[in-house]
Amino acid sequence: MRRGAKIFLIASLVAQAAALVRYVILARMLGPAELGLAATLILTAQFFESLSDTGANRYVVQDARGHTSEVMGLVHMILAGRGILLAAALALTAGLVADLYKAPILAPGLIALGLTQVILGFQNLEVRRVQRDGDFRPEAVMTIAGEVTSAIAIAAAAWIVRDHTAVIYGLTARALIMLIVSHVMAERRYAWAFGKADAVAFSRFASPLFLNGLLLFFGSQGDRILVGASLGAEGLGYYSAIILLIYYPAAALSRFVASLHMPNVARTRDNPEKFAREREQLGGRAVLLSTAMLLGFCLAGPLFAPLLYGHAFAQPLPMFAALALLQAVRLARCWPTTLALGTGDSFSVLAANVVRVVALPAAIFAYKAWPSVYAIVGAFILGELLSLATALIYQWRRRVVRARREFVRSFLFTLVGSVAVALSATLQERMWAWSAGVAVVLLGTLALHAWTERPTILHAWGLVRSRIFRRA
């Protein structure tokens, strides 16, 4: 039984909306150059977080002993140590990172960001453990409180300090509120523990994730690193402002889908019939949400970017379509990733991310051959698609998914995205006859895509109808 699924979805949306509001405030009040510096601070912090990812918050949900006080105490101790190590790493490397970006002004901010990592390291993971029983309410409340506080704090700080350090005040306020709420809403008191058997079991799960976190960072944030290195802080400010319009909705949906399905995947993995239903719902929802988000951003992105940030942030239509496809494929990847982690297979996630990082050298080579943001984005789209294919092939070899079904699903999803990019290019060049033809192809591809996903669509429609009639 799922409790709080609605509020958890709302919390995920609030979190990403608040993050978007933070960037809108920074862009409006500080301009693209300071926004780029703020984005650099956040990217560096995320790099160290990815490098030290242990998957502890996922382990307490999927592991058979994850609910025990011994395992909870172990992961609490590990997370606290991780937070302290992250703070130390940020302090020790602040000068080097500032020199790398040719912005010495970044160093004090990087050191200050270490405080947020220490604070978050002492969270009570009870808010995650209760999700084993389908209770998503504690994490939802914690998320809403933290993200809303962060947006308010950043707005106040930006008004006062008028520079990129405003983001530090907002993220510190967010960490404090999340820490407090996690302890207030916990069913059990916070404690540390260590057991050799549990530590060995956890290390087997976490070990692949250390490297995986680094690969995940370069796969998901490498495009922004290359844009910043190639175009400077101001160029990164423009790019970040546009991509974050879709990054945050994608992150919210990915987090919601993964959190909602992972407990069920873990619970049904030993029951082939129930697992097959859960696998089909997960795959169908992931690709349909990804498709809807892709098309929605192609339509809404060009309108909302100048409206939110100002006319200086307007971009050509193909840029919005290309970024929409990039983030849509990243969202779709939550489907095989959730299957892997829900069945305790962290190695296949690592394998997919190893392939994903091929985008980084490909993007460097593409940019040298064709100095354009499109070259970087195209290379990363290719990396995401190769990673998705690798993950599905690996899951097929483990007999977790069916090869033909997943190939058709992935192919149609990719085809829809590719045609949408082509349509945006013809519209940008005002090639109206070509635009009409490509639009017809897009509609036909969408119809075929919807037909193959009709079980998921009918299931969703059934849920909607039941709720409407219940209220009536």
Side-chain angles (χ1 to χ4, degrees):
M1 179 180 178
R2 292 171 178 167
R3 291 167 290 173
K6 289 181 181 178
I7 192 174
F8 186 71
L9 173 59
I10 292 171
S12 298
L13 296 176
V14 167
Q16 307 312 322
L20 178 59
V21 167
R22 293 197 292 262
Y23 268 88
V24 171
I25 291 170
L26 292 171
R28 284 283 186 177
M29 298 182 70
L30 307 180
E34 288 292 332
L35 177 63
L37 291 172
T40 303
L41 284 176
I42 296 171
L43 277 174
T44 305
Q46 288 175 341
F47 168 77
F48 284 103
E49 289 177 13
S50 300
L51 186 61
S52 60
D53 181 27
T54 62
N57 56 349
R58 301 184 290 277
Y59 187 75
V60 299
V61 175
Q62 72 85 31
D63 187 72
R65 282 180 46 81
H67 65 288
T68 63
S69 58
E70 292 82 5
V71 171
M72 290 296 295
L74 176 68
V75 296
H76 281 153
M77 182 178 66
I78 291 170
L79 280 184
R82 174 178 179 258
I84 294 169
L85 288 174
L86 282 174
L90 282 166
L92 291 172
T93 60
L96 294 174
V97 173
D99 290 341
L100 178 65
Y101 284 98
K102 298 180 176 61
I105 197 173
L106 287 173
L110 290 169
I111 296 172
L113 273 180
L115 177 61
T116 66
Q117 301 304 324
V118 174
I119 295 170
L120 290 172
F122 287 88
Q123 281 187 76
N124 193 324
L125 282 183
E126 277 288 295
V127 297
R128 292 284 295 186
R129 182 195 62 80
V130 296
Q131 292 177 14
R132 295 172 66 95
D133 302 317
D135 190 355
F136 297 90
R137 293 171 296 181
E139 186 173 4
V141 173
M142 181 184 73
T143 300
I144 292 173
E147 298 296 345
V148 171
T149 300
S150 176
I152 295 171
I154 278 187
W159 180 262
I160 296 170
V161 301
R162 297 287 176 169
D163 62 31
H164 63 280
T165 60
V167 74
I168 300 171
Y169 298 99
L171 294 180
T172 303
R174 171 181 174 270
L176 282 170
I177 293 298
M178 293 181 76
L179 173 70
I180 293 169
V181 175
S182 74
H183 285 276
V184 169
M185 300 202 68
E187 294 180 358
R188 304 182 201 167
R189 68 181 182 85
Y190 179 87
W192 289 5
F194 180 83
K196 185 176 180 180
D198 289 324
V200 170
F202 177 77
S203 66
R204 283 198 298 266
F205 177 82
S207 295
L209 295 180
F210 278 107
L211 178 57
N212 178 69
L214 181 61
L215 297 173
L216 183 63
F217 173 80
F218 283 118
S220 62
Q221 304 293 348
D223 54 325
R224 292 167 68 186
I225 294 173
L226 289 183
V227 169
S230 304
L231 304 179
E234 185 171 351
L236 178 59
Y238 283 115
Y239 183 84
S240 295
I242 301 303
I243 197 170
L244 291 176
L245 284 174
I246 189 171
Y247 173 83
Y248 287 125
L253 289 172
S254 178
R255 180 184 176 201
F256 177 73
V257 170
S259 297
L260 204 61
H261 281 275
M262 188 177 294
N264 286 344
V265 170
R267 191 162 41 243
T268 62
R269 59 187 172 185
D270 296 324
N271 187 317
E273 184 178 346
K274 290 183 178 180
F275 182 80
R277 287 199 299 269
E278 184 65 26
R279 177 192 64 205
E280 178 63 22
Q281 283 191 14
L282 171 58
R285 286 174 179 173
V287 296
L288 287 174
L289 285 172
S290 299
T291 303
M293 187 190 68
L294 184 155
L295 297 176
F297 189 69
C298 288
L299 293 172
L303 299 175
F304 280 97
L307 182 65
L308 290 173
Y309 299 123
H311 290 291
F313 287 87
Q315 297 290 325
L317 296 179
M319 177 55 64
F320 289 95
L323 292 178
L325 179 56
L326 175 62
Q327 291 299 326
V329 182
R330 286 174 174 171
L331 171 58
R333 288 186 65 253
C334 78
W335 140 48
T337 299
T338 301
L339 284 176
L341 293 178
T343 55
D345 177 26
S346 55
F347 182 80
S348 67
V349 181
L350 173 62
N353 279 319
V354 168
V355 174
R356 189 184 191 193
V357 174
V358 74
L360 200 57
I364 294 172
F365 177 80
Y367 185 81
K368 288 183 177 180
W370 179 33
S372 167
V373 173
Y374 292 106
I376 296 174
V377 175
F380 276 89
I381 291 173
L382 175 63
E384 295 292 344
L385 289 172
L386 290 175
S387 176
L388 176 62
T390 300
L392 291 174
I393 291 171
Y394 199 96
Q395 295 297 316
W396 166 67
R397 294 187 66 179
R398 293 180 61 235
R399 299 186 179 181
V400 174
V401 301
R402 295 178 298 164
R404 182 179 177 182
R405 175 72 177 114
E406 311 311 343
F407 172 78
V408 171
R409 170 178 281 157
S410 303
F411 174 76
L412 289 175
F413 161 68
T414 305
L415 185 59
V416 168
S418 301
V419 176
V421 173
L423 178 59
S424 69
T426 60
L427 289 172
Q428 182 68 33
E429 297 300 323
R430 301 190 178 189
M431 303 165 62
W432 307 123
W434 277 97
S435 297
V438 176
V440 171
V441 174
L442 178 60
L443 290 174
T445 308
L446 276 173
L448 183 58
H449 188 32
W451 175 255
T452 61
E453 298 297 342
R454 62 190 183 279
T456 303
I457 295 173
L458 291 173
H459 180 264
W461 173 241
L463 292 176
V464 172
R465 287 185 60 188
S466 66
R467 293 178 187 277
I468 291 174
F469 287 120
R470 189 187 307 165
R471 292 175 182 174

